[in-house]
Amino acid sequence: MWKNGRNRYGLVSISFHWALALTFVGLVGLGVWMVGLSYYDPWYNDSLALHKAIGIVALALALAKIGWRPADPKPALAADLKRHERAGATAMHWLLNALIVLVPATGYVISTSEGAGIDMFGLFEVPAVLGTSEGLRDLAIDLHYYLAYSGIALAAVHAGAALKHHFIDRNSTLRRMLLPRSPERRKD
Ligand code: HEM
Ligand code: HEM
């Protein structure tokens, strides 16, 4: 139930997946909205503070998810996938796993490159650990931008593929990411 089986996801992996999917998509939305605000908008500062704090939560979730993986190996892909679908899904999962870490990590670099820490909802502060650097900040801004937009485009293809498997191929791909109880014995 909690851990993955050979052919199904457990509750821990399912919870990580949807928490990360929600924060990633939400933070892209928030990011796009906040960079379009004018300096005089009442949300100008608060939107960025919120983006940073939720972004750090997303980074912690991503690191926890990846750290948890060796203790709870991934199930095999659905049995009826074609060769190119297997290769595509494997590559996509690698890329998404990389991006859920790299996007918030580059955000952290942008925000701490002037020496200030990150305020976590007024509760505590995540300290700046890197030295101040203008060059590093510019690089991190570019990377954060390109990686976030590549990530949302890949996630759209990934979600489209999951829906195709569900509605057209009618295999267990989406169902097993929704419920931990898909029967272990089934072929797919
Ligand atoms: C509505 C949107 C989404 C749907 C319907 C969806 C659906 C799925 C499904 C069905 C799987 C299981 C594939 C399999 O192993 O058979 C999966 C795996 C995965 N998804 Fe999503 N997903 C969505 C959004 C996202 C987003 C936004 C991210 C990250 C940015 C993401 C990252 C991953 C990763 C990394 C895996 C591989 C499994 C793992 O490493 O735990 N997904 N997704
Ligand atoms: C999964 C996590 C994250 C996602 C998906 C994300 C996404 C985005 C997006 C889409 C933008 C708008 C880019 C643009 O159009 O210019 C943005 C901007 C920004 N993000 Fe994030 N972000 C994440 C995490 C973080 C974190 C953890 C921080 C800092 C602690 C952060 C700091 C920033 C900053 C400072 C900007 C403004 C950059 C600029 O001045 O152009 N982000 N983010």
Side-chain angles (χ1 to χ4, degrees):
M1 173 84 166
W2 292 99
K3 288 184 128 189
N4 300 332
R6 266 177 297 125
N7 296 305
R8 56 163 188 84
Y9 284 101
L11 209 49
V12 176
S13 293
I14 294 175
S15 308
F16 273 133
H17 178 268
W18 292 111
L20 280 158
L22 197 73
T23 43
F24 196 93
V25 175
L27 284 163
V28 170
L30 182 54
V32 171
W33 175 67
M34 90 193 171
V35 294
L37 294 177
S38 87
Y39 181 73
Y40 300 101
D41 193 288
W43 276 97
Y44 185 80
N45 287 321
D46 288 351
S47 60
L48 179 59
L50 203 59
H51 182 86
K52 293 199 261 187
I54 301 173
I56 293 295
V57 172
L59 178 59
L61 273 172
L63 293 175
K65 172 198 186 278
I66 290 166
W68 168 251
R69 183 43 53 86
D72 191 16
K74 218 176 134 162
L77 293 168
D80 64 348
L81 296 195
K82 299 183 191 73
R83 248 171 82 123
H84 73 275
E85 288 176 326
R86 290 184 174 275
T90 307
M92 178 64 91
H93 295 168
W94 270 94
L95 281 170
L96 291 174
N97 273 315
L99 289 172
I100 55 175
V101 174
L102 290 176
V103 174
T106 50
Y108 172 83
V109 175
I110 306 176
S111 297
T112 55
S113 58
E114 285 170 338
I118 293 159
D119 175 41
M120 295 298 289
F121 310 105
L123 298 174
F124 62 96
E125 194 179 279
V126 173
V129 290
L130 303 164
T132 54
S133 158
E134 191 69 27
L136 188 62
R137 179 182 162 82
D138 289 345
L139 176 67
I141 289 179
D142 285 349
L143 284 175
H144 193 65
Y145 175 90
Y146 287 112
L147 295 176
Y149 286 102
S150 315
I152 199 71
L154 288 174
V157 174
H158 164 76
L163 294 177
K164 184 238 177 208
H165 288 307
H166 186 73
F167 289 109
I168 298 176
D169 304 337
R170 296 185 178 276
N171 67 26
S172 64
T173 299
L174 181 60
R175 256 180 291 126
R176 65 187 201 157
M177 193 40 109
L178 293 170
L179 291 169
R181 284 181 192 280
S182 302
E184 189 71 74
R185 275 170 274 106
R186 281 181 51 139
K187 182 167 73 66
D188 61 358

